[in-house]
Amino acid sequence: MPDEHSQTTMAVDELQAIIQRCQILEEADFKGEDFNLFLVAGQKCLEDGYAAQLLEVIQNEKNKVIIKNMGWNLISPLVRCIFTYKEEDDKREHCLRILDQLAQLCNPKELFLGLLEQIEQTSGDQVCQTVMLLLQPLQTVLLKLQNKKAYSVGLSLAMIMNQLTPLPVPYTKQQIQEDKLGLCQCCNAVVDFAKPFVNEVVKNMEKSSEYHDMELKEELLKFCMKSLKYPLLTAQLEQLEGIEEHPFRHFATEIINILWNIRELIPLVFLHHKGKSPPWENQEFADIERKNSADSVACLSYLMFVQHFGIECFPVVFSPSYLLLCNMTHIEVLLKRTEESMLSKGLDLFESSLLRMEDNSLLHDYLEFRDFINVPQDLVKIMTLCPMEHLRKKSLSILQLFIDKFDTEGKYTLFRCLLKTSNHAGVEGYIIKNIKDQIHLSLTEYDNVWFTGHHLISLLDLVLSLPEGAETDLLQNSDRIMASLNLLRYLVIKDCESDNQTGVWTTLTKIEQNFLKPLRVGLNMSKAHYEAEIKNKKENRKEAHSSNTVCSVTVSGEKMPAMTTGMQLQVLHSALFTFDLIESVLARVEELIEVKIKAVMDENS
């Protein structure tokens, strides 16, 4: 069996033999067979641990032409070997020096394709390691390229981002600190990789606007747009205690700087709807491109207006209402998403845009913009459907903030819209309470045509009604009904019949017909039904001699989970309690109306 020295000799001798054969050939005479033999011998040297000897061969001036033509073939085995050695291993250091030498000596075009292929083939845990390993040689090669440079830079950045995109973005403080896959570190390394090309564009823009420079600028813009969508749209970007330099905040700063340097930052924020997107023949591709662009620009607005990245570049000439108008498109994009990271960014952007404004300063005309109607409806969906309680609560507080900013006509229009579209008794009850507050302001502080007289009567037609008359499910609509009764009680107490500022006394007959009478009938029917149910359950329980009989019950049209008879009785008693509550307020309203009418009749007689 041969000893270690003879094995070394075999691996290195094979390589030397091929090198000597190729040294006497002209560059044009290299054959495919020579390339294969060089690859096999070089790979064997690496795999057998003789990187130092291979490095000597590559550094030898006599082998310059051979390495220029054939060296790029070694990229794949070289990367494999680098990952097998530990950081402190000398052999790893030799491999890294070989990689550096290949970047200096190889044909740039061939090596460029070899490096890209290696990045494309990596997957899983090794993506970030591979990208970070090959960024420096890739940058060296790209800086040497003369033809198709912009295209090659764009291809490199696109390939890298495509490989990173499937990786999960660290979100919690612990995940960011661990950076298990190396994504935080890798993203910032990619920005450093792009900097020489940004500087090149800046330099050329100062001189002129030649076509190929505009191409390079477009490629860098595409990279920034991709970075805004991933990882920044998904990332947690709040300052975190204990993390001195938050990697994604640093990355965001760098992306904003690139956009500013290539003069695209302000146009993106304000002229997004005029964005230059490539003409796609396939409509599906065009839609994907538009959606990706919308996500990216929404993230950019969040970075600028909530986190204040690049805000020092921002012209301080725009009114708060104009900034809200610009941001509403982005807010709508973010609120349509279901992921916590994106929803919270949308809510934060909406809140910060509203907090810049004075109460009652937003003109009702803004409700003519589609986004100003869609966004509050999106808020309602989050308030009622989002599984995360903190986001539901935040949505409610922002809806109130939005209402507060409008002038009175705007509030009136918004209330009408939300009453018609929310389809949720809790939300309708909340809006009705807001209407009551506005009426109170009109009666006590300043006269307001929108919450008194014929405008208010029109609004009361929506408020003081039952969706299905006496057949309405009173339990499901209890929030709305209680709010409506409280509003009516307030109107009857506060507005004397002789003054009739609100117009409620003029329309009282209609209110009784459409609301009070059907409500009284509905209450009697509902109470009778639930009392009969309770009686049945109690009798059934006696027959079964057990309170643990399991069966189902339907409440508000929805089948409840299987419960014991005792639990069902509890639910039914709770419903009766709600009906009693509604009945007590209804009785009080009817009594107040009767007393007021009697007082007027006594005066007149």
Side-chain angles (χ1 to χ4, degrees), residues 26-30 35 38 63-73 105-108 110-111:
E26 291 295 322
E27 196 172 337
D29 295 333
F30 292 152
F35 283 82
F38 176 82
N63 303 329
K64 209 172 177 179
V65 175
I66 300 166
I67 301 305
K68 179 191 167 191
N69 286 277
M70 301 185 191
W72 66 273
N73 272 306
L105 300 171
C106 289
N107 178 313
E110 301 291 354
L111 186 60

mmCIF file with all atom_site columns, all heavy atoms in Angstrom, residues 26-30 35 38 63-73 105-108 110-111:
data_model
loop_
_atom_site.group_PDB
_atom_site.id
_atom_site.type_symbol
_atom_site.label_atom_id
_atom_site.label_alt_id
_atom_site.label_comp_id
_atom_site.label_asym_id
_atom_site.label_entity_id
_atom_site.label_seq_id
_atom_site.pdbx_PDB_ins_code
_atom_site.Cartn_x
_atom_site.Cartn_y
_atom_site.Cartn_z
_atom_site.occupancy
_atom_site.B_iso_or_equiv
_atom_site.pdbx_formal_charge
_atom_site.auth_seq_id
_atom_site.auth_comp_id
_atom_site.auth_asym_id
_atom_site.auth_atom_id
_atom_site.pdbx_PDB_model_num
ATOM 1   N N   . GLU A 1 26  ? -0.535  26.354 -27.564 1.00 0.00 ? 26  GLU A N   1
ATOM 2   C CA  . GLU A 1 26  ? -1.080  27.706 -27.698 1.00 0.00 ? 26  GLU A CA  1
ATOM 3   C C   . GLU A 1 26  ? -2.492  27.712 -27.070 1.00 0.00 ? 26  GLU A C   1
ATOM 4   O O   . GLU A 1 26  ? -3.161  26.675 -27.032 1.00 0.00 ? 26  GLU A O   1
ATOM 5   C CB  . GLU A 1 26  ? -1.194  28.099 -29.183 1.00 0.00 ? 26  GLU A CB  1
ATOM 6   C CG  . GLU A 1 26  ? 0.131   28.305 -29.867 1.00 0.00 ? 26  GLU A CG  1
ATOM 7   C CD  . GLU A 1 26  ? 0.900   29.489 -29.297 1.00 0.00 ? 26  GLU A CD  1
ATOM 8   O OE1 . GLU A 1 26  ? 0.251   30.510 -28.966 1.00 0.00 ? 26  GLU A OE1 1
ATOM 9   O OE2 . GLU A 1 26  ? 2.133   29.387 -29.154 1.00 0.00 ? 26  GLU A OE2 1
ATOM 10  N N   . GLU A 1 27  ? -2.901  28.886 -26.652 1.00 0.00 ? 27  GLU A N   1
ATOM 11  C CA  . GLU A 1 27  ? -4.222  29.018 -25.994 1.00 0.00 ? 27  GLU A CA  1
ATOM 12  C C   . GLU A 1 27  ? -5.339  28.440 -26.860 1.00 0.00 ? 27  GLU A C   1
ATOM 13  O O   . GLU A 1 27  ? -6.231  27.748 -26.377 1.00 0.00 ? 27  GLU A O   1
ATOM 14  C CB  . GLU A 1 27  ? -4.474  30.508 -25.721 1.00 0.00 ? 27  GLU A CB  1
ATOM 15  C CG  . GLU A 1 27  ? -5.586  30.782 -24.733 1.00 0.00 ? 27  GLU A CG  1
ATOM 16  C CD  . GLU A 1 27  ? -5.682  32.253 -24.350 1.00 0.00 ? 27  GLU A CD  1
ATOM 17  O OE1 . GLU A 1 27  ? -4.671  32.991 -24.489 1.00 0.00 ? 27  GLU A OE1 1
ATOM 18  O OE2 . GLU A 1 27  ? -6.760  32.658 -23.924 1.00 0.00 ? 27  GLU A OE2 1
ATOM 19  N N   . ALA A 1 28  ? -5.248  28.689 -28.163 1.00 0.00 ? 28  ALA A N   1
ATOM 20  C CA  . ALA A 1 28  ? -6.298  28.238 -29.083 1.00 0.00 ? 28  ALA A CA  1
ATOM 21  C C   . ALA A 1 28  ? -6.323  26.723 -29.246 1.00 0.00 ? 28  ALA A C   1
ATOM 22  O O   . ALA A 1 28  ? -7.314  26.155 -29.720 1.00 0.00 ? 28  ALA A O   1
ATOM 23  C CB  . ALA A 1 28  ? -6.117  28.909 -30.443 1.00 0.00 ? 28  ALA A CB  1
ATOM 24  N N   . ASP A 1 29  ? -5.217  26.048 -28.876 1.00 0.00 ? 29  ASP A N   1
ATOM 25  C CA  . ASP A 1 29  ? -5.123  24.593 -29.099 1.00 0.00 ? 29  ASP A CA  1
ATOM 26  C C   . ASP A 1 29  ? -5.627  23.759 -27.921 1.00 0.00 ? 29  ASP A C   1
ATOM 27  O O   . ASP A 1 29  ? -5.621  22.524 -27.971 1.00 0.00 ? 29  ASP A O   1
ATOM 28  C CB  . ASP A 1 29  ? -3.659  24.201 -29.395 1.00 0.00 ? 29  ASP A CB  1
ATOM 29  C CG  . ASP A 1 29  ? -3.174  24.821 -30.704 1.00 0.00 ? 29  ASP A CG  1
ATOM 30  O OD1 . ASP A 1 29  ? -4.049  25.071 -31.576 1.00 0.00 ? 29  ASP A OD1 1
ATOM 31  O OD2 . ASP A 1 29  ? -1.961  25.093 -30.837 1.00 0.00 ? 29  ASP A OD2 1
ATOM 32  N N   . PHE A 1 30  ? -6.044  24.426 -26.816 1.00 0.00 ? 30  PHE A N   1
ATOM 33  C CA  . PHE A 1 30  ? -6.586  23.659 -25.679 1.00 0.00 ? 30  PHE A CA  1
ATOM 34  C C   . PHE A 1 30  ? -7.836  22.903 -26.130 1.00 0.00 ? 30  PHE A C   1
ATOM 35  O O   . PHE A 1 30  ? -8.718  23.465 -26.786 1.00 0.00 ? 30  PHE A O   1
ATOM 36  C CB  . PHE A 1 30  ? -6.954  24.584 -24.505 1.00 0.00 ? 30  PHE A CB  1
ATOM 37  C CG  . PHE A 1 30  ? -5.782  25.235 -23.831 1.00 0.00 ? 30  PHE A CG  1
ATOM 38  C CD1 . PHE A 1 30  ? -5.919  26.464 -23.188 1.00 0.00 ? 30  PHE A CD1 1
ATOM 39  C CD2 . PHE A 1 30  ? -4.533  24.613 -23.812 1.00 0.00 ? 30  PHE A CD2 1
ATOM 40  C CE1 . PHE A 1 30  ? -4.841  27.077 -22.550 1.00 0.00 ? 30  PHE A CE1 1
ATOM 41  C CE2 . PHE A 1 30  ? -3.454  25.225 -23.169 1.00 0.00 ? 30  PHE A CE2 1
ATOM 42  C CZ  . PHE A 1 30  ? -3.609  26.453 -22.558 1.00 0.00 ? 30  PHE A CZ  1
ATOM 43  N N   . PHE A 1 35  ? -9.324  20.241 -20.574 1.00 0.00 ? 35  PHE A N   1
ATOM 44  C CA  . PHE A 1 35  ? -10.142 20.845 -19.509 1.00 0.00 ? 35  PHE A CA  1
ATOM 45  C C   . PHE A 1 35  ? -10.587 19.790 -18.509 1.00 0.00 ? 35  PHE A C   1
ATOM 46  O O   . PHE A 1 35  ? -10.514 19.996 -17.298 1.00 0.00 ? 35  PHE A O   1
ATOM 47  C CB  . PHE A 1 35  ? -11.383 21.524 -20.117 1.00 0.00 ? 35  PHE A CB  1
ATOM 48  C CG  . PHE A 1 35  ? -11.104 22.848 -20.775 1.00 0.00 ? 35  PHE A CG  1
ATOM 49  C CD1 . PHE A 1 35  ? -10.609 22.921 -22.076 1.00 0.00 ? 35  PHE A CD1 1
ATOM 50  C CD2 . PHE A 1 35  ? -11.341 24.042 -20.091 1.00 0.00 ? 35  PHE A CD2 1
ATOM 51  C CE1 . PHE A 1 35  ? -10.341 24.133 -22.671 1.00 0.00 ? 35  PHE A CE1 1
ATOM 52  C CE2 . PHE A 1 35  ? -11.084 25.269 -20.685 1.00 0.00 ? 35  PHE A CE2 1
ATOM 53  C CZ  . PHE A 1 35  ? -10.580 25.317 -21.978 1.00 0.00 ? 35  PHE A CZ  1
ATOM 54  N N   . PHE A 1 38  ? -7.628  18.496 -16.388 1.00 0.00 ? 38  PHE A N   1
ATOM 55  C CA  . PHE A 1 38  ? -7.236  19.524 -15.408 1.00 0.00 ? 38  PHE A CA  1
ATOM 56  C C   . PHE A 1 38  ? -8.219  19.524 -14.230 1.00 0.00 ? 38  PHE A C   1
ATOM 57  O O   . PHE A 1 38  ? -7.827  19.571 -13.069 1.00 0.00 ? 38  PHE A O   1
ATOM 58  C CB  . PHE A 1 38  ? -7.208  20.907 -16.088 1.00 0.00 ? 38  PHE A CB  1
ATOM 59  C CG  . PHE A 1 38  ? -6.922  22.026 -15.139 1.00 0.00 ? 38  PHE A CG  1
ATOM 60  C CD1 . PHE A 1 38  ? -5.623  22.329 -14.755 1.00 0.00 ? 38  PHE A CD1 1
ATOM 61  C CD2 . PHE A 1 38  ? -7.964  22.789 -14.594 1.00 0.00 ? 38  PHE A CD2 1
ATOM 62  C CE1 . PHE A 1 38  ? -5.361  23.364 -13.854 1.00 0.00 ? 38  PHE A CE1 1
ATOM 63  C CE2 . PHE A 1 38  ? -7.709  23.824 -13.695 1.00 0.00 ? 38  PHE A CE2 1
ATOM 64  C CZ  . PHE A 1 38  ? -6.400  24.107 -13.336 1.00 0.00 ? 38  PHE A CZ  1
ATOM 65  N N   . ASN A 1 63  ? 2.010   29.309 -15.500 1.00 0.00 ? 63  ASN A N   1
ATOM 66  C CA  . ASN A 1 63  ? 0.704   28.652 -15.700 1.00 0.00 ? 63  ASN A CA  1
ATOM 67  C C   . ASN A 1 63  ? -0.450  29.639 -15.887 1.00 0.00 ? 63  ASN A C   1
ATOM 68  O O   . ASN A 1 63  ? -1.615  29.255 -15.886 1.00 0.00 ? 63  ASN A O   1
ATOM 69  C CB  . ASN A 1 63  ? 0.392   27.743 -14.496 1.00 0.00 ? 63  ASN A CB  1
ATOM 70  C CG  . ASN A 1 63  ? 1.471   26.709 -14.283 1.00 0.00 ? 63  ASN A CG  1
ATOM 71  O OD1 . ASN A 1 63  ? 2.107   26.266 -15.251 1.00 0.00 ? 63  ASN A OD1 1
ATOM 72  N ND2 . ASN A 1 63  ? 1.703   26.319 -13.029 1.00 0.00 ? 63  ASN A ND2 1
ATOM 73  N N   . LYS A 1 64  ? -0.101  30.908 -16.059 1.00 0.00 ? 64  LYS A N   1
ATOM 74  C CA  . LYS A 1 64  ? -1.093  31.984 -16.122 1.00 0.00 ? 64  LYS A CA  1
ATOM 75  C C   . LYS A 1 64  ? -2.172  31.738 -17.189 1.00 0.00 ? 64  LYS A C   1
ATOM 76  O O   . LYS A 1 64  ? -3.368  31.852 -16.932 1.00 0.00 ? 64  LYS A O   1
ATOM 77  C CB  . LYS A 1 64  ? -0.360  33.295 -16.432 1.00 0.00 ? 64  LYS A CB  1
ATOM 78  C CG  . LYS A 1 64  ? -1.037  34.529 -15.876 1.00 0.00 ? 64  LYS A CG  1
ATOM 79  C CD  . LYS A 1 64  ? -0.122  35.723 -16.069 1.00 0.00 ? 64  LYS A CD  1
ATOM 80  C CE  . LYS A 1 64  ? -0.802  36.984 -15.582 1.00 0.00 ? 64  LYS A CE  1
ATOM 81  N NZ  . LYS A 1 64  ? 0.045   38.159 -15.725 1.00 0.00 ? 64  LYS A NZ  1
ATOM 82  N N   . VAL A 1 65  ? -1.738  31.347 -18.376 1.00 0.00 ? 65  VAL A N   1
ATOM 83  C CA  . VAL A 1 65  ? -2.670  31.152 -19.501 1.00 0.00 ? 65  VAL A CA  1
ATOM 84  C C   . VAL A 1 65  ? -3.582  29.960 -19.230 1.00 0.00 ? 65  VAL A C   1
ATOM 85  O O   . VAL A 1 65  ? -4.786  29.990 -19.512 1.00 0.00 ? 65  VAL A O   1
ATOM 86  C CB  . VAL A 1 65  ? -1.897  30.951 -20.829 1.00 0.00 ? 65  VAL A CB  1
ATOM 87  C CG1 . VAL A 1 65  ? -2.866  30.627 -21.964 1.00 0.00 ? 65  VAL A CG1 1
ATOM 88  C CG2 . VAL A 1 65  ? -1.103  32.208 -21.159 1.00 0.00 ? 65  VAL A CG2 1
ATOM 89  N N   . ILE A 1 66  ? -3.000  28.895 -18.678 1.00 0.00 ? 66  ILE A N   1
ATOM 90  C CA  . ILE A 1 66  ? -3.788  27.687 -18.373 1.00 0.00 ? 66  ILE A CA  1
ATOM 91  C C   . ILE A 1 66  ? -4.865  28.021 -17.337 1.00 0.00 ? 66  ILE A C   1
ATOM 92  O O   . ILE A 1 66  ? -6.034  27.672 -17.505 1.00 0.00 ? 66  ILE A O   1
ATOM 93  C CB  . ILE A 1 66  ? -2.867  26.550 -17.834 1.00 0.00 ? 66  ILE A CB  1
ATOM 94  C CG1 . ILE A 1 66  ? -1.826  26.192 -18.891 1.00 0.00 ? 66  ILE A CG1 1
ATOM 95  C CG2 . ILE A 1 66  ? -3.670  25.332 -17.416 1.00 0.00 ? 66  ILE A CG2 1
ATOM 96  C CD1 . ILE A 1 66  ? -0.675  25.357 -18.365 1.00 0.00 ? 66  ILE A CD1 1
ATOM 97  N N   . ILE A 1 67  ? -4.461  28.719 -16.275 1.00 0.00 ? 67  ILE A N   1
ATOM 98  C CA  . ILE A 1 67  ? -5.416  29.069 -15.208 1.00 0.00 ? 67  ILE A CA  1
ATOM 99  C C   . ILE A 1 67  ? -6.485  30.016 -15.746 1.00 0.00 ? 67  ILE A C   1
ATOM 100 O O   . ILE A 1 67  ? -7.659  29.888 -15.427 1.00 0.00 ? 67  ILE A O   1
ATOM 101 C CB  . ILE A 1 67  ? -4.694  29.704 -13.989 1.00 0.00 ? 67  ILE A CB  1
ATOM 102 C CG1 . ILE A 1 67  ? -3.642  28.742 -13.420 1.00 0.00 ? 67  ILE A CG1 1
ATOM 103 C CG2 . ILE A 1 67  ? -5.687  30.119 -12.908 1.00 0.00 ? 67  ILE A CG2 1
ATOM 104 C CD1 . ILE A 1 67  ? -4.165  27.366 -13.035 1.00 0.00 ? 67  ILE A CD1 1
ATOM 105 N N   . LYS A 1 68  ? -6.076  30.953 -16.590 1.00 0.00 ? 68  LYS A N   1
ATOM 106 C CA  . LYS A 1 68  ? -7.033  31.897 -17.182 1.00 0.00 ? 68  LYS A CA  1
ATOM 107 C C   . LYS A 1 68  ? -8.166  31.152 -17.891 1.00 0.00 ? 68  LYS A C   1
ATOM 108 O O   . LYS A 1 68  ? -9.336  31.494 -17.773 1.00 0.00 ? 68  LYS A O   1
ATOM 109 C CB  . LYS A 1 68  ? -6.312  32.825 -18.168 1.00 0.00 ? 68  LYS A CB  1
ATOM 110 C CG  . LYS A 1 68  ? -7.241  33.822 -18.858 1.00 0.00 ? 68  LYS A CG  1
ATOM 111 C CD  . LYS A 1 68  ? -6.544  34.530 -20.003 1.00 0.00 ? 68  LYS A CD  1
ATOM 112 C CE  . LYS A 1 68  ? -7.555  35.269 -20.859 1.00 0.00 ? 68  LYS A CE  1
ATOM 113 N NZ  . LYS A 1 68  ? -6.973  35.755 -22.108 1.00 0.00 ? 68  LYS A NZ  1
ATOM 114 N N   . ASN A 1 69  ? -7.803  30.097 -18.621 1.00 0.00 ? 69  ASN A N   1
ATOM 115 C CA  . ASN A 1 69  ? -8.790  29.365 -19.421 1.00 0.00 ? 69  ASN A CA  1
ATOM 116 C C   . ASN A 1 69  ? -9.500  28.245 -18.664 1.00 0.00 ? 69  ASN A C   1
ATOM 117 O O   . ASN A 1 69  ? -10.674 27.980 -18.918 1.00 0.00 ? 69  ASN A O   1
ATOM 118 C CB  . ASN A 1 69  ? -8.115  28.775 -20.666 1.00 0.00 ? 69  ASN A CB  1
ATOM 119 C CG  . ASN A 1 69  ? -7.809  29.848 -21.688 1.00 0.00 ? 69  ASN A CG  1
ATOM 120 O OD1 . ASN A 1 69  ? -8.667  30.229 -22.459 1.00 0.00 ? 69  ASN A OD1 1
ATOM 121 N ND2 . ASN A 1 69  ? -6.585  30.378 -21.657 1.00 0.00 ? 69  ASN A ND2 1
ATOM 122 N N   . MET A 1 70  ? -8.792  27.571 -17.770 1.00 0.00 ? 70  MET A N   1
ATOM 123 C CA  . MET A 1 70  ? -9.346  26.362 -17.149 1.00 0.00 ? 70  MET A CA  1
ATOM 124 C C   . MET A 1 70  ? -9.700  26.517 -15.671 1.00 0.00 ? 70  MET A C   1
ATOM 125 O O   . MET A 1 70  ? -10.430 25.696 -15.122 1.00 0.00 ? 70  MET A O   1
ATOM 126 C CB  . MET A 1 70  ? -8.334  25.209 -17.278 1.00 0.00 ? 70  MET A CB  1
ATOM 127 C CG  . MET A 1 70  ? -7.959  24.885 -18.704 1.00 0.00 ? 70  MET A CG  1
ATOM 128 S SD  . MET A 1 70  ? -6.879  23.434 -18.748 1.00 0.00 ? 70  MET A SD  1
ATOM 129 C CE  . MET A 1 70  ? -6.336  23.456 -20.449 1.00 0.00 ? 70  MET A CE  1
ATOM 130 N N   . GLY A 1 71  ? -9.173  27.546 -15.017 1.00 0.00 ? 71  GLY A N   1
ATOM 131 C CA  . GLY A 1 71  ? -9.304  27.669 -13.559 1.00 0.00 ? 71  GLY A CA  1
ATOM 132 C C   . GLY A 1 71  ? -10.742 27.702 -13.059 1.00 0.00 ? 71  GLY A C   1
ATOM 133 O O   . GLY A 1 71  ? -11.044 27.184 -11.970 1.00 0.00 ? 71  GLY A O   1
ATOM 134 N N   . TRP A 1 72  ? -11.661 28.303 -13.831 1.00 0.00 ? 72  TRP A N   1
ATOM 135 C CA  . TRP A 1 72  ? -13.044 28.472 -13.372 1.00 0.00 ? 72  TRP A CA  1
ATOM 136 C C   . TRP A 1 72  ? -13.716 27.127 -13.069 1.00 0.00 ? 72  TRP A C   1
ATOM 137 O O   . TRP A 1 72  ? -14.641 27.039 -12.265 1.00 0.00 ? 72  TRP A O   1
ATOM 138 C CB  . TRP A 1 72  ? -13.858 29.263 -14.400 1.00 0.00 ? 72  TRP A CB  1
ATOM 139 C CG  . TRP A 1 72  ? -14.044 28.554 -15.713 1.00 0.00 ? 72  TRP A CG  1
ATOM 140 C CD1 . TRP A 1 72  ? -13.200 28.588 -16.779 1.00 0.00 ? 72  TRP A CD1 1
ATOM 141 C CD2 . TRP A 1 72  ? -15.125 27.714 -16.078 1.00 0.00 ? 72  TRP A CD2 1
ATOM 142 N NE1 . TRP A 1 72  ? -13.674 27.819 -17.802 1.00 0.00 ? 72  TRP A NE1 1
ATOM 143 C CE2 . TRP A 1 72  ? -14.878 27.263 -17.394 1.00 0.00 ? 72  TRP A CE2 1
ATOM 144 C CE3 . TRP A 1 72  ? -16.288 27.276 -15.442 1.00 0.00 ? 72  TRP A CE3 1
ATOM 145 C CZ2 . TRP A 1 72  ? -15.724 26.412 -18.085 1.00 0.00 ? 72  TRP A CZ2 1
ATOM 146 C CZ3 . TRP A 1 72  ? -17.144 26.427 -16.128 1.00 0.00 ? 72  TRP A CZ3 1
ATOM 147 C CH2 . TRP A 1 72  ? -16.865 25.999 -17.432 1.00 0.00 ? 72  TRP A CH2 1
ATOM 148 N N   . ASN A 1 73  ? -13.204 26.052 -13.702 1.00 0.00 ? 73  ASN A N   1
ATOM 149 C CA  . ASN A 1 73  ? -13.753 24.711 -13.468 1.00 0.00 ? 73  ASN A CA  1
ATOM 150 C C   . ASN A 1 73  ? -13.612 24.253 -12.022 1.00 0.00 ? 73  ASN A C   1
ATOM 151 O O   . ASN A 1 73  ? -14.334 23.362 -11.562 1.00 0.00 ? 73  ASN A O   1
ATOM 152 C CB  . ASN A 1 73  ? -13.020 23.688 -14.341 1.00 0.00 ? 73  ASN A CB  1
ATOM 153 C CG  . ASN A 1 73  ? -13.667 23.563 -15.715 1.00 0.00 ? 73  ASN A CG  1
ATOM 154 O OD1 . ASN A 1 73  ? -14.865 23.318 -15.806 1.00 0.00 ? 73  ASN A OD1 1
ATOM 155 N ND2 . ASN A 1 73  ? -12.883 23.749 -16.755 1.00 0.00 ? 73  ASN A ND2 1
ATOM 156 N N   . LEU A 1 105 ? -7.182  35.824 -11.835 1.00 0.00 ? 105 LEU A N   1
ATOM 157 C CA  . LEU A 1 105 ? -6.514  35.277 -13.034 1.00 0.00 ? 105 LEU A CA  1
ATOM 158 C C   . LEU A 1 105 ? -7.451  34.752 -14.118 1.00 0.00 ? 105 LEU A C   1
ATOM 159 O O   . LEU A 1 105 ? -7.088  34.741 -15.295 1.00 0.00 ? 105 LEU A O   1
ATOM 160 C CB  . LEU A 1 105 ? -5.563  34.138 -12.611 1.00 0.00 ? 105 LEU A CB  1
ATOM 161 C CG  . LEU A 1 105 ? -4.444  34.522 -11.630 1.00 0.00 ? 105 LEU A CG  1
ATOM 162 C CD1 . LEU A 1 105 ? -3.729  33.272 -11.138 1.00 0.00 ? 105 LEU A CD1 1
ATOM 163 C CD2 . LEU A 1 105 ? -3.452  35.481 -12.299 1.00 0.00 ? 105 LEU A CD2 1
ATOM 164 N N   . CYS A 1 106 ? -8.651  34.255 -13.744 1.00 0.00 ? 106 CYS A N   1
ATOM 165 C CA  . CYS A 1 106 ? -9.506  33.566 -14.724 1.00 0.00 ? 106 CYS A CA  1
ATOM 166 C C   . CYS A 1 106 ? -10.157 34.531 -15.707 1.00 0.00 ? 106 CYS A C   1
ATOM 167 O O   . CYS A 1 106 ? -10.317 35.720 -15.424 1.00 0.00 ? 106 CYS A O   1
ATOM 168 C CB  . CYS A 1 106 ? -10.610 32.778 -14.016 1.00 0.00 ? 106 CYS A CB  1
ATOM 169 S SG  . CYS A 1 106 ? -10.000 31.335 -13.156 1.00 0.00 ? 106 CYS A SG  1
ATOM 170 N N   . ASN A 1 107 ? -10.574 33.965 -16.818 1.00 0.00 ? 107 ASN A N   1
ATOM 171 C CA  . ASN A 1 107 ? -11.370 34.699 -17.799 1.00 0.00 ? 107 ASN A CA  1
ATOM 172 C C   . ASN A 1 107 ? -12.650 35.189 -17.098 1.00 0.00 ? 107 ASN A C   1
ATOM 173 O O   . ASN A 1 107 ? -13.423 34.377 -16.611 1.00 0.00 ? 107 ASN A O   1
ATOM 174 C CB  . ASN A 1 107 ? -11.724 33.737 -18.944 1.00 0.00 ? 107 ASN A CB  1
ATOM 175 C CG  . ASN A 1 107 ? -12.598 34.394 -19.995 1.00 0.00 ? 107 ASN A CG  1
ATOM 176 O OD1 . ASN A 1 107 ? -13.569 35.051 -19.664 1.00 0.00 ? 107 ASN A OD1 1
ATOM 177 N ND2 . ASN A 1 107 ? -12.260 34.190 -21.245 1.00 0.00 ? 107 ASN A ND2 1
ATOM 178 N N   . PRO A 1 108 ? -12.863 36.518 -17.034 1.00 0.00 ? 108 PRO A N   1
ATOM 179 C CA  . PRO A 1 108 ? -13.986 37.046 -16.244 1.00 0.00 ? 108 PRO A CA  1
ATOM 180 C C   . PRO A 1 108 ? -15.346 36.451 -16.637 1.00 0.00 ? 108 PRO A C   1
ATOM 181 O O   . PRO A 1 108 ? -16.138 36.099 -15.780 1.00 0.00 ? 108 PRO A O   1
ATOM 182 C CB  . PRO A 1 108 ? -13.945 38.554 -16.509 1.00 0.00 ? 108 PRO A CB  1
ATOM 183 C CG  . PRO A 1 108 ? -12.547 38.836 -16.905 1.00 0.00 ? 108 PRO A CG  1
ATOM 184 C CD  . PRO A 1 108 ? -12.058 37.603 -17.619 1.00 0.00 ? 108 PRO A CD  1
ATOM 185 N N   . GLU A 1 110 ? -16.102 33.531 -18.101 1.00 0.00 ? 110 GLU A N   1
ATOM 186 C CA  . GLU A 1 110 ? -16.246 32.122 -17.706 1.00 0.00 ? 110 GLU A CA  1
ATOM 187 C C   . GLU A 1 110 ? -16.403 32.005 -16.185 1.00 0.00 ? 110 GLU A C   1
ATOM 188 O O   . GLU A 1 110 ? -17.246 31.253 -15.682 1.00 0.00 ? 110 GLU A O   1
ATOM 189 C CB  . GLU A 1 110 ? -15.011 31.311 -18.134 1.00 0.00 ? 110 GLU A CB  1
ATOM 190 C CG  . GLU A 1 110 ? -14.719 31.323 -19.635 1.00 0.00 ? 110 GLU A CG  1
ATOM 191 C CD  . GLU A 1 110 ? -15.761 30.548 -20.436 1.00 0.00 ? 110 GLU A CD  1
ATOM 192 O OE1 . GLU A 1 110 ? -16.624 29.922 -19.816 1.00 0.00 ? 110 GLU A OE1 1
ATOM 193 O OE2 . GLU A 1 110 ? -15.724 30.595 -21.676 1.00 0.00 ? 110 GLU A OE2 1
ATOM 194 N N   . LEU A 1 111 ? -15.584 32.744 -15.454 1.00 0.00 ? 111 LEU A N   1
ATOM 195 C CA  . LEU A 1 111 ? -15.635 32.654 -13.994 1.00 0.00 ? 111 LEU A CA  1
ATOM 196 C C   . LEU A 1 111 ? -16.970 33.202 -13.476 1.00 0.00 ? 111 LEU A C   1
ATOM 197 O O   . LEU A 1 111 ? -17.553 32.651 -12.535 1.00 0.00 ? 111 LEU A O   1
ATOM 198 C CB  . LEU A 1 111 ? -14.476 33.420 -13.358 1.00 0.00 ? 111 LEU A CB  1
ATOM 199 C CG  . LEU A 1 111 ? -14.359 33.253 -11.835 1.00 0.00 ? 111 LEU A CG  1
ATOM 200 C CD1 . LEU A 1 111 ? -14.151 31.798 -11.452 1.00 0.00 ? 111 LEU A CD1 1
ATOM 201 C CD2 . LEU A 1 111 ? -13.224 34.092 -11.283 1.00 0.00 ? 111 LEU A CD2 1
#
